[in-house]
Structures are given as structure tokens and as C-alpha cells.
Amino acid sequence: MKAFMDKDFLLQSETAKKLYHDYAAKMPIIDYHCHINPQEIAEDRRFDNITQVWLGGDHYKWRMIRSNGVPEEEITGDAADRIKFQRFAEAMPRAIGNPMYHWTHLELQRYFGYTGVLNADTAEEVWQLCNKKLQEDPNMTVRGLIRQSNVKVIGTTDDPADTLEYHAAIAAEGIEDFKVVPSYRPDKAVNIYKAGFVEYIAKLGAANGVEINGVADVKKALAVAMDRFDALGCKAADHGLDYVMYRPASDDAVEAIFRKAMAGEAITMEEAEQYVTAITLFCGKEYARRGWVMQIHYCVQRNTNTRRFTALGPDVGCDCISTHECGEALTALLDAMDREDSLPKTVLYSLNPADNALLGSVIGCFQGTGAAGKIQHGSAWWFNDNKTGMEQQLTDLANLSLLGNFIGMLTDSRSFLSYTRHEYFRRILCNLIGGWVENGEYPADMDTLGELVEGISYNNAKAYFGF
């Protein structure tokens, strides 16, 4: 029996161990897509306790605790931080097979030196240990955690109406050992069918000095925002779509749809798809011109629990996988940009794991000279961000494309302790490749294998995004 999460955790062969320890483990991190708050980096926040850094804003953990029958008051409500932590610890032993169990103990080991097991009985011990280190260790501020994790680049997720003041403050400091750059997320300007669109358009215009009276003005405001982002080192945009839409329409038709929405009139989903298509094509063209990467996350059902959404708002753990079929719309969207030679480097993520083979086949249709692996099948995302999901994404990508050109892992997280997810991914990657080698499916050429693993861990993303 192997020891619990020892140095060879998840590494089942000698080749896997060598690939991880000699190659993957030493590579820095480019966390090119996450949801951490740049203000906390600018101010180098120090957290008061482990609940703040672990449970604040983490809907993964909230879902897990909720699944253990805990009242909302002790998850997202006004209960004391110590109680919230206790409820998390009580749920932990039941999370067998859940990546949260591994993530939690990796974080305890790497950042706090705790090699025990978190449960209801050890909660007080862990609470005291973690809080003491968070409060007293000079390396446990936000920037200290980034440096400990060997992170070289962080790409946050930012709205075109954001001031980017904290990014500007970070840039003005001239931090030498890591970069923090904004990533452009225009969803609120794209999703004309969602609540708050009219109010947001006014905010977008004001933030970018554009009076918005029509679609051309929306595009102008988005482009002005892109210039602001570009000046602060932005390399990527991200579109979060419920499903991929492609329904082209004339400029006049799109203008009429926009005016209806701004007047408070109801629009059909067909009309919404026409507007979304027009704005997405415009954005893609602008990204290509700037050399940015376009990320598309899709196949999501959001805010499915009406009662909880009404009480708590979005992003509280009530989203799930959608089974919307998007293959034809996705290829049509990519083809429309490609026909005009305006298809940017693009990373595609579907929340539905049934789309893995689809994405693996689609990316091969639109590869080009802009980069090795110009069109990417993105890392296993959200509900697929687990051992099974990663192995499946990596295997499908290898089956249908060039795994050696993959840009690798991202945290997609709101926590500064989540960088261990890169370690988790790298161990799974090395174990998968090691298994192929041990099975005689690939030569035991450690120079080539090491280069592949280092590329997927770090070097490919560095080249792809241009950091």
C-alpha cells in the first residue's frame, strides 16, 4: 500500500516519477486564466485566517459543504469563520474520489507543512496551525504565496468597463519576479439577452469615453477598452457563453435588435444570437489584429436554482453542465473569422466532457502558422477539473492532435492557494505519458519526453501567449 499523498503521489511508474521529479516539478507557472482579485495583489493582502483564503468566494467548496446538509448560514452566511471551517472539515472525509480532497491536502502540505489529514477531529489543530502561519510568516502574504508557488505570470479576468486601477498600480511598481496582466472578458456587452444589459451599456460607454447610441458605438467602446488593456500587457480575452452561437445578420438587422433591447422591448433568442454573433466576430477580428488569444468557454447552465440565486446572486455553486449541441455553430464561427483571415489564436473549452472528441477534431480544421497549436483544446474545465477529466482531455487531445503543443493547466480559481492544481495536473500528465512509455507505446527517450513535459507545463504557454 502506498503512503497517503507522498512524494510519488499519482505517479505509478518509474518513468512517470522521473518525468515529474526531474522535469515537470521544477517548471514555473503561467496561470493564464484565473479569477483572483488584482486589488489583493496590489495591496499584498494578508489573510486573517484559513477560512478567508480558502472558503471566501470558492463555490467549489460551497457546493461540497452544501452537499453535506449544512445550512447556508454556515456556508455563505454570517456564521463565524471558525464554524465555516469546521463544516468544511466535517465534509472532507466524505469527499473520497473528489479532487477537492487532493487539492486541500496538497495546499496543507505545500503552504503549511501539514502532512496529516483534515477532518472534524483535526480541524482545531489545522485551524491554529494555518492561522498562526498566515498571521506571522512574512512569506504568507498574497505576493509571498505567488513567489512560493514559482508563478511568473497571472492573467486575471477583467471587464471592459473596469478602471484597471490595480493593474496600473502593480505595473507602476515594476515588480521583477512575476507579472500580473488583465484579461478581457466582454460577456456583459455580448449577452444582450441577459438581465442588466441596458444598464451595463451605459457603464461601458462612460468607462471608455464613448456615448453609445448604436452598435457601432458599442464596438468603439469595446475597442477603446482593448487599447487600455493592451497598454497594461493584456494577452488574452475570454468569452463565457451559455452555448456557441452563429447566426449572421445584416448590419441594419443587428442595429434594430440593439435598439429594441435598449428600449426595454423583448427580443427573441434568434435576435439575440444575431447580435451575439456580430459582436463576437468583431471582437475576434480585433484580437487577431492585436495578437491576443481568444478563449471561449461554453456549454454552461448558469444560476439554475432560482431561490438560491434570488437570495445569494450568481457564482455561488448553482451552475452545471449543459448538453446544448454547438458543433456546427462553433465551426461556422471559426470559419467566418478564418475566411477574413481574422481568426485569432483560440482556446476552446466545453463544460460538457462529451465534447472532448468534437473539440479535438475541430481544432485540426483551423490550425495555422500563427503559433504551434494555434487552435487549442483547452484544459479540462470546471466540473472536468479532476483526475478522470484531465486524463480524458489529455487522451482525446493526444488521439486527435499534437499533445506536445498543448498549453497546459490553469487554475480558473479565486484562491491564492490554488497553484497546487498545476502540480496536480503535472503529476497526472507525467503518469499518463509514463504509462505509454512503460507500455512500449512511445520510446524511452528522456530528452524528448522531458522537453514535451516542460513544454506542456510552462514553455508552450509562454510562447503561445507571448510572455
Side-chain angles (χ1 to χ4, degrees), residues 30-286:
I30 293 179
D31 199 29
Y32 54 85
H33 175 70
C34 69
H35 297 277
I36 60 174
N37 186 347
Q39 180 178 355
E40 294 179 339
I41 303 176
E43 296 174 351
D44 198 18
R45 179 181 177 182
R46 180 180 290 278
F47 296 93
D48 295 327
N49 61 57
I50 188 62
T51 296
Q52 289 181 4
V53 70
W54 247 3
L55 301 179
D58 192 334
H59 54 81
Y60 286 83
K61 293 186 177 73
W62 293 346
R63 283 172 67 98
M64 192 185 79
I65 304 169
R66 210 174 272 143
S67 297
N68 209 32
V70 175
E72 198 65 36
E73 168 71 14
E74 297 179 354
I75 305 170
T76 61
D78 294 330
D81 285 350
R82 177 64 182 86
I83 292 174
K84 292 178 179 179
F85 179 75
Q86 184 69 32
R87 300 297 174 258
F88 176 58
E90 291 168 355
M92 196 40 42
R94 297 180 178 272
I96 185 171
N98 191 309
M100 184 65 66
Y101 197 86
H102 293 153
W103 296 346
T104 295
H105 288 93
L106 278 175
E107 291 169 24
L108 286 173
Q109 288 182 14
R110 300 296 176 264
Y111 296 108
F112 300 98
Y114 183 77
T115 57
V117 176
L118 177 63
N119 55 41
D121 295 333
T122 62
E124 179 63 20
E125 173 190 9
V126 175
W127 172 262
Q128 295 294 342
L129 171 71
C130 292
N131 292 352
K132 180 178 175 61
K133 191 161 187 180
L134 284 169
Q135 293 163 13
E136 297 178 4
D137 189 330
N139 295 316
M140 294 299 284
T141 65
V142 160
R143 296 187 189 183
L145 292 169
I146 292 169
R147 292 185 172 106
Q148 284 185 65
S149 306
N150 200 16
V151 179
K152 297 303 180 185
V153 182
I154 298 171
T156 63
T157 302
D158 308 274
D159 191 279
D162 285 352
T163 64
L164 302 181
E165 60 185 295
Y166 296 108
H167 280 283
I170 294 167
E173 275 194 60
I175 299 172
E176 294 184 357
D177 49 348
F178 65 86
K179 291 183 179 180
V180 182
V181 298
S183 297
Y184 190 83
R185 181 78 174 247
D187 293 0
K188 292 180 181 178
V190 175
N191 294 331
I192 192 172
Y193 59 98
K194 294 196 173 183
F197 177 77
V198 173
E199 295 79 6
Y200 176 76
I201 290 300
K203 182 179 178 182
L204 175 70
N208 293 288
V210 177
E211 183 178 347
I212 298 180
N213 296 306
V215 175
D217 300 323
V218 173
K219 293 177 179 178
K220 181 179 179 180
L222 289 172
V224 169
M226 289 180 206
D227 290 340
R228 293 193 296 111
F229 276 62
D230 203 52
L232 289 168
C234 178
K235 299 291 186 181
D238 180 41
H239 289 241
L241 303 174
D242 295 343
Y243 61 94
V244 178
M245 305 175 194
Y246 184 74
R247 192 180 292 274
S250 68
D251 290 346
D252 288 344
V254 174
E255 185 68 34
I257 293 164
F258 176 77
R259 292 184 183 279
K260 278 179 66 176
M262 293 300 290
E265 299 177 33
I267 60 172
T268 66
M269 274 312 298
E270 179 176 321
E271 290 174 324
E273 289 179 0
Q274 291 174 335
Y275 173 84
V276 170
T277 299
I279 299 299
T280 303
L281 290 173
F282 166 78
C283 286
K285 186 173 184 177
E286 288 295 311

